[in-house]
Amino acid sequence: MLKFPYCNVTDLNQALAQCRFVGLLGPLASRRQSPRAVVSCSPSSSEFSLTPVQAVMSCQQQVGSSLVNRLRLGGLTEDGFSYKEKFIIRGFEVGINKIATIETIANLLQEVGSNHAQSVGFSTDGFGTSPTMRKLHLIWVTARMHIEVYKYPAWRDVIEIETWCQNEGRIGTRRDWILNDVATGEKIYNMKSISYGSKWVMMNQDTRRMQKVSDDVKEEYLIFCPREPRLAFSEKNNKSLKRIAKLEDPVRYSKLGLKPRRADLDMNQHVNNVTYIGWVLESIPKEIIDTHELQAITLDYRRECQQYNVVDSLTGLELTEGSKMVSVGTNGSATATATTREDDHDCHRFLHLLRLSSDGREINRGRTEWRKKPTR
């Protein structure tokens, strides 16, 4: 991977303000040919023809580098259409089995997505917005996320996460991630350990209503997207697009009265997306947690959760075609059961619902799949 020096984002934005972009094409045209730009990052520099992606890279090189970006082990890939960053799994990011938790992975994925947005000159306020979006008070919000885990990284493992975004319908966009295992001191190999896809929609920050992505906004971010559709995992025969049914009372498992902590709030004063994952797992039966590990999770985000809301976490069994009920142990007062397919006796599937305790309004729907823990 070609490495680039990185600059302070404030300095980069100032440099980009000095750059003159000429003849940027619309989102549809940009997929047929590379838009060109004439860039001048300083009054004395000579003008030369670059694509907008190359222009960002050129400005990054000329402006200089802040301490945080010099220490960060990541940056745009050579073509500028994706971003990669390396991390070491630290002691406080693993559980009792020395394996990274799903919350750790989700937090790292969010971090890389934010760093990608900043690396192309988008806002540093936590929203990753373009200039037109800020002018119109528009922000991105998560509509759905899907994570597939093939192998969990362990304590002190070195991992590399790659992310990119692309268009998704009239009101949304899509961001994908792939987590690769990096053998220390050896060449990076492309064994996918974790794949993650998320779908985002645009919302007006003042009215809290969804809004169509305008051509002006598309022009600003599509120049940094792959020219051909690229997915972290194949969606053919995949549950990432499947509708999640609503759980109805009574449910077998529940954890009531969950309250957001101050540490659960993000920089935008809302409950962080990763917190919902933890709440979902709160109502998973203990015998599943003890013997199985999460291999896939899909969450639909339906309502914002505020600091003073109280939340109920409900979990039920997902019955699928060819499935049957099997006993996997007891939890004291009731026998715990889970669904399994005839050809996959170690895989258990659950449906989840997060709702407000006060009036039962939905916050989140989810689906999880669990496999037998490997012998380590």
Side-chain angles (χ1 to χ4, degrees):
M1 181 179 72
L2 184 62
K3 295 184 180 295
F4 298 92
Y6 296 94
C7 62
N8 180 279
V9 176
T10 302
D11 295 336
L12 173 59
N13 288 336
Q14 293 173 350
L16 290 175
Q18 297 174 4
C19 297
R20 295 194 293 276
F21 293 85
V22 180
L24 295 182
L25 303 179
L28 297 179
S30 68
R31 293 187 179 277
R32 294 192 292 269
Q33 58 182 323
S34 296
R36 311 301 293 179
V38 176
V39 180
S40 176
C41 286
S42 67
S44 60
S45 64
S46 60
E47 295 184 348
F48 50 92
S49 181
L50 293 174
T51 67
V53 174
Q54 292 170 332
V56 169
M57 292 180 173
S58 175
C59 287
Q60 287 177 334
Q61 289 175 313
Q62 294 187 38
V63 170
S65 163
S66 68
L67 177 61
V68 65
N69 288 312
R70 290 200 301 270
L71 296 177
R72 181 179 291 153
L73 300 177
L76 293 172
T77 55
E78 186 172 359
D79 61 12
F81 296 142
S82 67
Y83 177 94
K84 291 182 178 181
E85 188 167 349
K86 293 185 179 71
F87 298 91
I88 300 173
I89 301 300
R90 297 165 292 184
F92 60 86
E93 296 173 322
V94 301
I96 58 176
N97 56 359
K98 299 183 181 180
I99 301 300
T101 65
I102 190 65
E103 291 95 335
T104 289
I105 298 303
N107 276 319
L108 290 176
L109 297 175
Q110 283 195 155
E111 174 70 9
V112 173
S114 175
N115 293 344
H116 180 207
Q118 292 183 37
S119 72
V120 298
F122 285 0
S123 70
T124 60
D125 58 5
F127 291 110
T129 52
S130 68
T132 298
M133 291 178 65
R134 292 194 293 277
K135 180 180 178 181
L136 299 177
H137 295 186
L138 301 176
I139 59 174
W140 294 112
V141 293
T142 308
R144 169 174 279 216
M145 55 149 281
H146 177 80
I147 303 178
E148 294 183 4
V149 183
Y150 312 112
K151 175 187 174 184
Y152 280 90
W155 176 44
R156 300 179 65 183
D157 277 355
V158 182
I159 60 174
E160 181 178 65
I161 303 175
E162 180 181 10
T163 185
W164 63 95
C165 57
Q166 52 205 324
N167 195 44
E168 180 82 12
R170 292 183 304 136
I171 65 169
T173 187
R174 174 189 178 116
R175 179 174 286 279
D176 286 72
W177 289 257
I178 292 177
L179 186 152
N180 293 324
D181 190 3
V182 178
T184 304
E186 298 179 4
K187 181 180 179 181
I188 297 174
Y189 56 92
N190 293 325
M191 183 188 75
K192 287 194 289 187
S193 295
I194 296 175
S195 297
Y196 177 27
S198 68
K199 297 184 179 181
W200 300 66
V201 293
M202 187 170 289
M203 183 176 75
N204 186 289
Q205 194 172 4
D206 301 324
T207 65
R208 318 307 288 180
R209 293 181 180 275
M210 299 300 109
Q211 187 158 329
K212 178 182 176 181
V213 182
S214 68
D215 289 343
D216 289 340
V217 173
K218 286 183 178 181
E219 273 190 356
E220 291 174 328
Y221 77 82
L222 281 182
I223 57 174
F224 301 108
C225 298
R227 294 295 174 256
E228 299 296 331
R230 181 189 176 193
L231 305 180
F233 47 83
S234 173
E235 290 186 335
K236 186 178 181 180
N237 300 322
N238 186 285
K239 289 188 176 181
S240 64
L241 300 179
K242 182 181 176 182
R243 179 181 176 273
I244 301 176
K246 181 181 179 181
L247 273 179
E248 301 292 347
D249 289 322
V251 296
R252 182 175 292 272
Y253 310 107
S254 64
K255 183 73 172 180
L256 308 181
L258 298 170
K259 298 179 180 180
R261 305 169 303 163
R262 288 186 179 181
D264 295 327
L265 302 180
D266 59 23
M267 64 183 72
N268 305 314
Q269 301 299 311
H270 294 120
V271 173
N272 190 288
N273 292 336
V274 179
T275 300
Y276 297 106
I277 298 177
W279 285 346
V280 163
L281 300 184
E282 281 293 319
S283 55
I284 289 288
K286 183 178 184 300
E287 52 271 21
I288 294 295
I289 295 290
D290 290 343
T291 59
H292 290 67
E293 65 181 13
L294 184 67
Q295 74 173 12
I297 181 170
T298 307
L299 293 179
D300 277 344
Y301 294 88
R302 294 173 170 265
R303 187 180 305 278
E304 293 179 291
C305 185
Q306 308 294 334
Q307 179 178 1
Y308 300 106
N309 290 144
V310 180
V311 177
D312 294 338
S313 174
L314 310 179
T315 291
L317 309 170
E318 182 184 32
L319 291 174
T320 57
E321 184 178 355
S323 65
K324 64 180 182 179
M325 304 295 289
V326 295
S327 175
V328 296
T330 60
N331 60 0
S333 60
T335 299
T337 58
T339 58
T340 180
R341 294 183 61 86
E342 297 288 352
D343 57 350
D344 191 358
H345 296 283
D346 289 330
C347 183
H348 304 301
R349 300 173 177 85
F350 296 92
L351 294 176
H352 307 275
L353 175 66
L354 297 179
R355 67 185 183 189
L356 295 176
S357 298
S358 57
D359 55 18
R361 286 183 295 171
E362 287 185 81
I363 299 173
N364 196 295
R365 292 186 192 183
R367 177 190 296 112
T368 58
E369 296 184 14
W370 300 77
R371 60 171 173 247
K372 200 78 172 178
K373 286 182 178 179
T375 302
R376 303 188 187 277

